[in-house]
């Protein structure tokens, strides 16, 4: 039995296409969340990054400025995480990460499953 070289092009293209849409949804969520300060900086620094090993994308990340985490948690300027969202402070968490993350992970799994299964079948030489 000979080893078959697996072609990851379709797999990688599916992930790259998905990540572009996911980034757009995160940016839309930032705008809808009502973040007043640092919105421009957060949008400007929000990037998409992929990492490959042996020709296959194994990681997708969305790096952004630290202000994004502070606004998501409702902390900063002396407000510790224990007080976030409490009546003691006017800072409230702005969940701009949660909804897009959940939706996009489900979308990715639905898109990548058939591509991955086809790659496996092709590697056995039966398709």
């Amino acid at each position: 039995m000979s080893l078959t070289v697996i072609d990851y092009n379709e797999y990688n293209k599916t992930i790259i296409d998905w990540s572009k849409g996911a980034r757009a949804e995160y940016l839309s969520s930032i705008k809808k969340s009502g973040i007043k300060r640092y919105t421009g900086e957060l949008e400007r620094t929000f990037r998409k990054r992929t990492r490959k090993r042996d020709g296959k994308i194994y990681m997708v990340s969305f790096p952004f400025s630290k202000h994004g985490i502070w606004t998501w948690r409702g902390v900063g300027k002396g407000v510790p995480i224990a007080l976030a969202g409490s009546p003691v402070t006017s800072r409230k968490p702005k969940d701009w990460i949660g909804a897009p993350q959940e939706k996009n992970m489900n979308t990715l799994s639905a898109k990548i499953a058939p591509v991955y299964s086809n790659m496996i079948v092709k590697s056995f030489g039966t398709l």
Side-chain angles (χ1 to χ4, degrees):
M1 181 174 162
S2 64
L3 292 176
T4 305
V5 176
I6 297 175
D7 181 17
Y8 292 113
N9 289 333
E10 184 181 2
Y11 173 85
N12 290 343
K13 183 181 180 321
T14 302
I15 291 177
I16 288 170
D17 291 345
W18 166 84
S19 65
K20 289 176 184 175
R23 181 179 182 272
E25 284 195 35
Y26 278 114
L27 291 174
S28 174
S29 182
I30 290 169
K31 289 177 184 172
K32 291 177 187 174
S33 70
I35 299 172
K36 293 182 178 97
R37 193 167 182 185
Y38 306 116
T39 302
E41 180 182 347
L42 185 53
E43 290 173 357
R44 185 177 42 79
T45 62
F46 198 92
R47 303 272 188 247
K48 169 192 68 77
R49 186 178 301 156
T50 57
R51 305 253 178 174
K52 281 186 183 179
R53 183 178 295 143
D54 299 326
K56 177 183 175 185
I57 293 176
Y58 70 93
M59 183 182 78
V60 178
S61 62
F62 298 99
F64 52 87
S65 68
K66 59 188 171 188
H67 301 95
I69 293 295
W70 294 345
T71 55
W72 175 60
R73 293 286 197 165
V75 299
K77 292 204 173 192
V79 177
I81 195 140
L83 296 178
S86 71
V88 176
T89 179
S90 62
R91 291 184 177 263
K92 305 290 182 228
K94 300 198 183 333
D95 190 15
W96 64 271
I97 295 176
Q101 184 174 10
E102 185 175 332
K103 178 184 177 196
N104 284 304
M105 291 310 292
N106 292 335
T107 303
L108 177 61
S109 63
K111 286 183 176 186
I112 211 68
V115 173
Y116 210 84
S117 63
N118 286 341
M119 281 178 15
I120 292 170
V121 171
K122 285 179 184 177
S123 73
F124 289 119
T126 58
L127 191 67

